[in-house]
Amino acid sequence: MGKVRGAIVVDIERCKGCGLCVVACPTDTIVLADEVNGKGYHYAKMGNPEACTGCTNCAMVCPDSCITVYRLKPEKSK
Amino acid sequence: MIDVKDIIKPENLVFKKSKLLLDTPMHYCPGCSHGVVHNLIAEVIEEMNIQSETIGVAPVGCSVLAYNYIDIDWHEAAHGRAPAVATGLKRLLPDKFVFTYQGDGDLAAIGTAETIHACNRGENITVIFINNGIYGMTGGQMAPTTLEGMVASTCPDGREHSRDGYPIKISDLVAQLPGTCYVTRQAVHTPGAVRKAKKAIRKAFENQKLKKGLSLVEVVSTCNSGWKMSPVAANDWMAENMFPFYPLGDLKDE
Ligand SMILES: Cc1ncc(C[n+]2csc(CCOP(=O)(O)OP(=O)(O)O)c2C)c(N)n1
Ligand code: SF4
Ligand code: SF4
């Protein structure tokens, strides 16, 4: 059976670039973008999408509820 | 190779923002604990399916605009008076779920009397207490909860007890009162802490159905702007300095 695969979608305009999701992610998936959003914040994005397991840790600590998380059912991620 | 596009599909969804959280962007500073606790309250109300039966009482402080963010009925209270307003609401509408949401300046300074007496009367309400150790909204002044040695804008060399008194442990105080049924201290700095804090908030709401008395959930929080730290550094500072004085866990569960 393959590794569990997940992915996140960040609401870029809602993100304030606080970085709390970056340190909460156990697989170092998330980075703050070099670019900024409309508010001037370096928003969060998947820098290493291969690593995401869809554990939801980042979404739970995000104060601005910017993150939606998806996870492939194990049988599909072989 | 699986493409990210194949993962981002409705059938694979495992986490999305609560339906009760309005799309209005929160005015809180980046990384502020207030936002995380708002999310948890919205999730608990959504999961208990009590949206139309819940009334929140918003405080004065950074969270004065809480009513803009969670889609339930709200009442605003004058500074510190939220437990008194909640008492009136709950007594008139005993079948509603009534909670207050208060900072430490609101709950533990100007509102100390309302807090203690609502607890002592055993009002069937829930109190959510955000303890970030300072007055956030007004510029980071010392609060009754400020730690000894902790820097605030009105004690730039750190709180000193011979001049400023000692930090007050509200949860320990109210846990001694027979009117409280559940008093717990939580945090929201890590995913594990967020899970526990959510369980505590859920229990504090469930207790209203059982008419057991007042439930208070203290959330030891950061105000990274007021503390003049990055959000990540503020969480680390909190774990190192706040938790030894404000240890996490249940103080009372009856
Ligand atoms: C009667 C009254 N006194 C003082 C103030 C000024 N004031 C506004 S917010 C605040 C303190 C808020 O601190 P806290 O409750 O800790 O909430 P935070 O902003 O840290 O979330 C004070 C003293 C006021 N608005 N009304
Ligand atoms: S925790 Fe939320 S607001 Fe903060 S950087 Fe991550 S996505 Fe943005
Ligand atoms: S000032 Fe402090 S308490 Fe207020 S929103 Fe900013 S971080 Fe949060």
Side-chain angles (χ1 to χ4, degrees), chain B residues 110-168:
Chain B
I110 192 167
T112 316
E114 284 75 8
T115 304
I116 303 252
H117 289 294
C119 288
N120 198 41
R121 291 191 306 268
E123 301 296 341
N124 276 306
I125 59 171
T126 300
V127 173
I128 309 290
F129 168 33
I130 306 298
N131 179 7
N132 59 17
I134 57 167
Y135 293 180
M137 184 193 217
T138 43
Q141 291 86 355
M142 179 169 47
T145 48
T146 303
L147 299 174
E148 283 194 73
M150 183 174 173
V151 171
S153 61
T154 46
C155 54
D157 302 322
R159 183 175 193 163
E160 207 278 297
H161 64 77
S162 65
R163 182 190 57 207
D164 308 322
Y166 297 92
I168 191 165

Side-chain angles (χ1 to χ4, degrees), chain A residues 4-6 9 12 19 24 26-27 34-35 37 55 75-76:
Chain A
V4 181
R5 282 293 310 272
V9 176
I12 289 172
T27 61
D34 291 334
E35 312 81 64
N37 64 13
C55 71
E75 63 275 11
K76 287 196 227 152

Side-chain angles (χ1 to χ4, degrees), chain A residues 1 3 6 13-16 18 21 24 26 28 31 54 57 65 70 77:
Chain A
M1 200 184 86
K3 181 173 100 35
E13 286 309 318
R14 207 175 157 94
C15 173
K16 294 176 184 163
C18 70
C21 55
D28 294 328
V31 294
N57 278 9
S65 301
Y70 298 85
S77 58

Side-chain angles (χ1 to χ4, degrees), chain A residues 5-7 9 14 16 18 20 41 49-50 56-57 59-63 65 67-73 76, chain B residues 1-2 7-9 11-15 17 21 23 26 28 30-32 35-36 39 190-191 194-195 231 235:
Chain A
R5 282 293 310 272
V9 176
R14 207 175 157 94
K16 294 176 184 163
C18 70
L20 292 182
Y41 292 123
E50 299 293 295
T56 74
N57 278 9
M60 265 189 289
V61 300
C62 174
S65 301
I67 304 180
T68 307
V69 187
Y70 298 85
R71 190 191 303 140
L72 267 191
K73 306 281 175 299
K76 287 196 227 152
Chain B
M1 267 303 294
I2 305 156
I7 305 174
I8 301 174
K9 287 184 173 164
E11 63 267 30
N12 296 329
L13 179 74
V14 285
F15 189 101
K17 124 174 157 29
L21 273 187
D23 286 333
M26 293 190 191
Y28 301 114
C32 177
V36 187
N39 302 341
T190 62
V194 170
R195 279 195 197 91
N235 271 345

Side-chain angles (χ1 to χ4, degrees), chain B residues 98-109:
Chain B
V98 179
F99 74 95
T100 71
Y101 185 100
Q102 305 174 260
D104 47 321
D106 190 84
L107 180 145

